[in-house]
């Protein structure tokens, strides 16, 4: 059966549900069925009941079903992308809605292709010990509103591959996208292997404390992550936490500003800056500072922003009013401090939607709130430095450390600087790219635990050593 946009929406909405509005226009997208804690408890019970049969399937069977799920997403890619664009706001084109849906299918395939076999640890004639990776049971997943489908797959795919079942609580802002994704998965997967329950924050609190949730995966703010750590303590839950970041980029003096401008721009402004591992504060050597600012402004001024369904656009609105207000307040504080607004900084108060113009802020102090607080939107502060030591000190000066980047024509010099930066991932001459085979996770208050690749599979497994 062919899945259309209308048929997809009819499967996941409810007449008495919560209104979900398009952040670009304010128009109704659909009514999301927000459920109670009792409904969540029932979903957990069903996931628990379904888990033994799922775990008893062979690894090859589970891999085959993940591949079929990827094919199902591909077959429904256009209606999924349209719904995502309407609900989240991101454009269809560019590294946005179609890209995100495609990434869901690609991640399922990559997860199916990744191997985590048991292995012999020691066999010396006296001692024989092997390690094996067993299912945990039911994995809980709490996702964000910025990449709702893709991050849900990041949580679902490895958990399923290792024999767990999953209960997902999507963000209140983007529940329809995740419900639609689950509907497509359900056309292939056994009943109750993946369960999505939309609702308020009390559902997340229940997931983090429920005794039948063996592992919780969370992507979101540091503050919420800290609450999850506390509420999961009584049940000693395993946790993977990908929390807030305020990623630094360091541009060394030997770069060609024009050559790096596009990569710098998209490192900061992918998904209109609404990405955990986006470049959020840029440190530029004084020798190339003015040229980098000029080239970035040129890219910003020629990159179209608007409603996502218009395929000419590659930047969209902020997803919600709360985030719009955060960005506007931080830019206003920067302006009041005497910083230079190179471009943007003046949203149209009369226009519909939560559009904040692409904004570059120069001549700003490192202590300014736009630098020290995560803006999570289309506003990039550009700080001047004179020595590498100064740049590294500023980059390491915050209590978060998700990602960072170093930009240089000299790879050895860049790698030497990268080794000094306190971040889970440091990119060289790019920023924010992730790969399904490369582990990803933060340090400091950006969380703990690794996703992707072999390490990601291990993180949703219970290692068991057999000694003898």
């Amino acid at each position: 059966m062919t899945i259309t946009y209308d048929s997809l929406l009819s499967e996941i909405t409810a007449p008495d549900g919560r209104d979900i509005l398009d952040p670009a226009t304010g128009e109704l997208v659909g009514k999301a069925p927000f459920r109670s804690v009792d409904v969540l408890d029932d979903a957990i019970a069903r996931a628990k009941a379904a888990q033994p049969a799922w775990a008893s399937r062979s690894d090859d069977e589970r891999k085959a079903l993940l591949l079929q799920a990827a094919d199902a997403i591909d077959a429904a890619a256009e209606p999924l992308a349209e719904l995502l664009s309407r609900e989240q706001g991101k454009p269809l084109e560019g590294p946005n809605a179609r890209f995100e849906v495609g990434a869901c299918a690609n991640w399922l395939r990559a997860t199916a292709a990744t191997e985590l076999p048991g292995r012999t640890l020691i066999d010396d004639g006296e001692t024989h010990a092997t390690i094996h990776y067993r299912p945990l049971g039911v994995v809980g997943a709490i996702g964000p509103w910025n990449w709702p489908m893709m991050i849900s797959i990041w949580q679902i795919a490895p958990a399923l591959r290792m024999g767990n079942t999953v209960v997902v609580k999507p963000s209140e802002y983007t529940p329809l996208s995740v419900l639609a994704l689950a509907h497509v998965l359900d056309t292939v997967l056994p009943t109750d292997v993946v369960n999505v329950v939309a609702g308020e924050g009390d559902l997340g609190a229940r997931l983090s404390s429920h005794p039948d949730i063996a592992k919780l995966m969370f992507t979101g703010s540091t503050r919420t992550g800290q609450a999850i750590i506390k509420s999961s303590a009584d049940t000693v839950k395993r946790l993977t936490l990908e929390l807030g970041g305020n990623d630094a980029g360091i541009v060394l003096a030997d770069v060609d500003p024009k050559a790096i401008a596009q990569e710098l721009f998209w490192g900061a402004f992918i998904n209109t800056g609404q990405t955990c591992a986006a470049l959020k504060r840029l440190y530029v050597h004084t020798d190339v500072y003015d040229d980098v600012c000029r080239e970035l402004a040129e890219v910003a001024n020629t990159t179209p922003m608007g409603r996502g369904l218009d395929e000419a656009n590659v930047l969209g609105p902020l997803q919600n009013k709360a985030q719009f207000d955060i960005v506007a307040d931080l830019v206003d504080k920067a302006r009041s401090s005497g910083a230079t607004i190179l471009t943007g900084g003046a949203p149209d108060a009369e226009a519909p939607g939560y559009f904040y113009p692409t904004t570059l802020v120069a001549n700003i102090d490192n202590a300014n709130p736009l630098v020290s607080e995560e803006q999570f939107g289309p506003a990039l502060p550009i700080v001047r430095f004179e020595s590498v030591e100064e740049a590294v000190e500023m980059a390491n000066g915050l209590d978060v450390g998700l990602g960072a980047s170093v930009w240089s024509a000299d790879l050895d010099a860049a790698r030497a600087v990268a080794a000094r930066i306190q971040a889970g991932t440091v990119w060289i001459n790019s920023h924010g790219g992730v790969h399904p085979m490369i582990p990803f996770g933060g340090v400091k208050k950006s969380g703990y635990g690794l996703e992707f690749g072999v390490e990601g599979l291990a993180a949703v497994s219970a290692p068991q050593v057999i000694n003898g």
Side-chain angles (χ1 to χ4, degrees):
M1 182 183 70
T2 301
I3 294 178
T4 66
Y5 178 81
D6 289 337
S7 68
L8 185 63
L9 203 61
S10 69
E11 290 286 346
I12 61 173
T13 53
D16 60 346
R18 172 78 62 85
D19 285 356
I20 301 297
L21 306 181
D22 185 332
T25 64
E27 297 171 355
L28 180 68
V29 178
K31 291 179 173 289
F34 272 38
R35 303 306 188 194
S36 67
V37 169
D38 288 344
V39 174
L40 177 68
D41 284 347
D42 179 66
I44 295 170
R46 288 185 284 109
K48 183 179 180 181
Q51 192 271 329
W54 177 249
S56 71
R57 290 174 179 262
S58 71
D59 188 47
D60 285 343
E61 287 179 302
R62 292 198 297 270
K63 287 192 291 185
L65 283 165
L66 291 186
L67 294 175
Q68 290 177 40
D71 291 343
I73 290 173
D74 281 343
E78 196 59 20
L80 285 171
E82 181 178 347
L83 176 58
L84 178 61
S85 182
R86 290 178 184 272
E87 181 180 49
Q88 201 281 334
K90 63 183 63 181
L92 290 168
E93 279 297 286
N96 292 299
R98 290 183 179 124
F99 168 85
E100 180 170 348
V101 174
C104 291
N106 291 339
W107 230 271
L108 282 163
R109 294 187 177 104
T111 303
T114 304
E115 299 296 341
L116 180 62
R119 67 187 191 278
T120 300
L121 302 173
I122 186 170
D123 186 9
D124 61 4
E126 295 183 3
T127 302
H128 182 270
T130 55
I131 188 168
H132 307 269
Y133 296 90
R134 313 299 192 195
L136 291 166
V138 182
V139 172
I142 303 175
W145 49 258
N146 57 336
W147 296 91
M149 290 185 182
M150 185 173 71
I151 291 178
S152 291
I153 287 294
W154 289 357
Q155 299 166 329
I156 292 168
L160 293 185
R161 172 65 196 282
M162 299 310 294
N164 307 289
T165 53
V166 187
V167 179
V168 181
K169 189 272 179 193
S171 167
E172 301 95 303
Y173 291 113
T174 52
L176 296 176
S177 296
V178 182
L179 287 164
L181 179 68
H183 172 70
V184 173
L185 296 177
D186 283 346
T187 65
V188 171
L189 298 175
T191 301
D192 293 329
V193 167
V194 174
N195 303 266
V196 177
V197 184
E200 300 285 2
D202 57 341
L203 299 191
R206 179 59 173 158
L207 269 179
S208 64
S209 62
H210 197 290
D212 289 335
I213 296 294
K215 162 94 184 192
L216 188 66
M217 305 179 76
F218 171 73
T219 296
S221 71
T222 296
R223 182 175 63 182
T224 302
Q226 290 167 326
I228 286 171
I229 293 169
K230 294 175 183 176
S231 62
S232 67
D234 286 347
T235 53
V236 197
K237 253 181 247 315
R238 291 165 172 83
L239 300 174
T240 295
L241 303 175
E242 197 257 87
L243 308 180
N246 194 345
D247 285 14
I250 297 177
V251 178
L252 302 183
D254 62 355
V255 301
D256 176 349
K258 190 174 187 65
I260 67 171
Q262 283 282 344
E263 288 283 353
L264 269 178
F265 179 85
W266 285 110
F269 293 103
I270 187 172
N271 198 26
T272 316
Q274 299 167 109
T275 297
C276 297
L279 174 57
K280 298 188 175 79
R281 48 194 174 111
L282 183 60
Y283 299 102
V284 180
H285 193 278
T286 187
D287 289 355
V288 290
Y289 184 88
D290 292 337
D291 290 341
V292 168
C293 287
R294 183 182 66 253
E295 295 296 340
L296 277 175
E298 175 66 21
V299 177
N301 290 330
T302 56
T303 303
M305 174 184 286
R307 190 183 185 196
L309 297 182
D310 179 347
E311 301 213 19
N313 296 319
V314 289
L315 296 173
L318 287 159
Q319 202 286 322
N320 55 77
K321 178 65 161 56
Q323 198 58 45
F324 179 94
D325 289 344
I326 289 170
V327 175
D329 178 64
L330 289 172
V331 173
D332 287 346
K333 288 176 179 175
R335 181 188 289 109
S336 298
S337 75
T340 303
I341 309 297
L342 296 176
T343 187
D348 183 352
E350 302 301 320
Y354 302 129
F355 289 98
Y356 197 93
T358 309
T359 301
L360 298 169
V361 182
N363 302 317
I364 186 169
D365 187 87
N366 189 54
N368 191 280
L370 182 59
V371 181
S372 61
E373 299 176 20
E374 184 180 25
Q375 70 276 49
F376 215 71
L380 179 66
I382 309 172
V383 180
R384 187 188 302 265
F385 73 86
E386 295 189 358
S387 71
V388 170
E389 288 69 24
E390 177 189 12
V392 170
E393 182 179 359
M394 290 190 292
N396 290 339
L398 301 182
D399 60 1
V400 289
L402 188 57
S405 57
V406 181
W407 303 74
S408 174
D410 183 337
L411 286 180
D412 288 338
R415 289 167 181 154
V417 174
R420 300 169 60 188
I421 297 177
Q422 298 163 1
T425 299
V426 183
W427 292 274
I428 306 295
N429 294 328
S430 67
H431 194 109
V434 292
H435 188 286
M437 301 299 182
I438 300 175
F440 180 73
V443 299
K444 299 195 279 190
K445 288 187 178 179
S446 288
Y448 49 78
L450 290 172
E451 299 177 273
F452 313 159
V454 172
E455 288 83 357
L457 294 182
V460 287
S461 308
Q464 181 188 46
V465 172
I466 297 179
N467 193 335

